[in-house]
Amino acid sequence: MTQHTKRAFILGLTALAATPALPALAQNKTTGTTFVRVPTFAAEDQARIKRATAYLQALSAASGRFEQTDFRGRVTTGQWWLQRPGKIRFEYDAPYSVLVVADGKNVNMWDPRLKSFDQYPLSFTPLSLFLSKQIRLDQGVIVTEVTRTTDGFRLKARDRRKDVEGAITMTFRDQGGKLTLGDWTVVDAQGKSTRVNLLTLNTAASLKPSLFVLNKPSASRN
């Protein structure tokens, strides 16, 4: 797996990268840090943001199948597991067979074909949007757009604190008043998007702790 392909995996699952056409930025004159202005939403859109926040907050443990499509149209599939706070696992099908695991502190990635192990601080990724103990969409991560769809709505969110950070768009399906996360799309600095579609989502009371342990394999591993 090339470094670019590896980045595509991480981008689709964890990275909130730079993207063009973001809302106007407001300059903090004291620190020089740039911030995205928080939009003013109509009451119905505020209600959608509130529903999405409550739904994500209540999603304590879940699993299912996913399908990821990168900017080239290449499709990969696999299994995912989530245990809030802090833990998620993505297990890609062959021929990639890549593992991506957030253990509460770090995001670890193992490529068995190249015997390559990479590690990223969880705090440097937008996985906190799903994995933090207290989910907020009005502080560090903010919603910048709300769009109605035929069966629900989409929220576009981004890190408010960094003017070079980009956006993630989450689609929520509303079926008979029951909300479900359907997919998310992230965009890199060149405007290239990666979409992760949750083919299935099954909630659970809890999951095996071993699912969220991925240590660097020893050099002798075959």
Side-chain angles (χ1 to χ4, degrees), residues 181-195:
L181 177 63
D183 63 68
W184 66 81
T185 301
V186 291
V187 184
D188 70 11
Q190 290 73 46
K192 297 173 181 176
S193 64
T194 301
R195 178 174 179 262

Side-chain angles (χ1 to χ4, degrees), residues 25-37 160-161 163:
L25 299 174
Q27 183 72 26
N28 183 313
K29 296 181 180 179
T30 302
T31 64
T33 303
T34 52
F35 293 88
V36 177
R37 292 196 187 100
R160 188 188 178 202
R161 296 164 296 179
D163 60 342

Side-chain angles (χ1 to χ4, degrees), residues 124-135:
F124 288 2
T125 77
L127 283 175
S128 58
L129 188 64
F130 306 106
L131 301 183
S132 61
K133 185 175 182 179
Q134 183 66 39
I135 293 176

Side-chain angles (χ1 to χ4, degrees), residues 186-206:
V186 291
V187 184
D188 70 11
Q190 290 73 46
K192 297 173 181 176
S193 64
T194 301
R195 178 174 179 262
V196 176
N197 181 29
L198 301 182
L199 300 175
T200 58
L201 190 160
N202 305 304
T203 58
S206 63

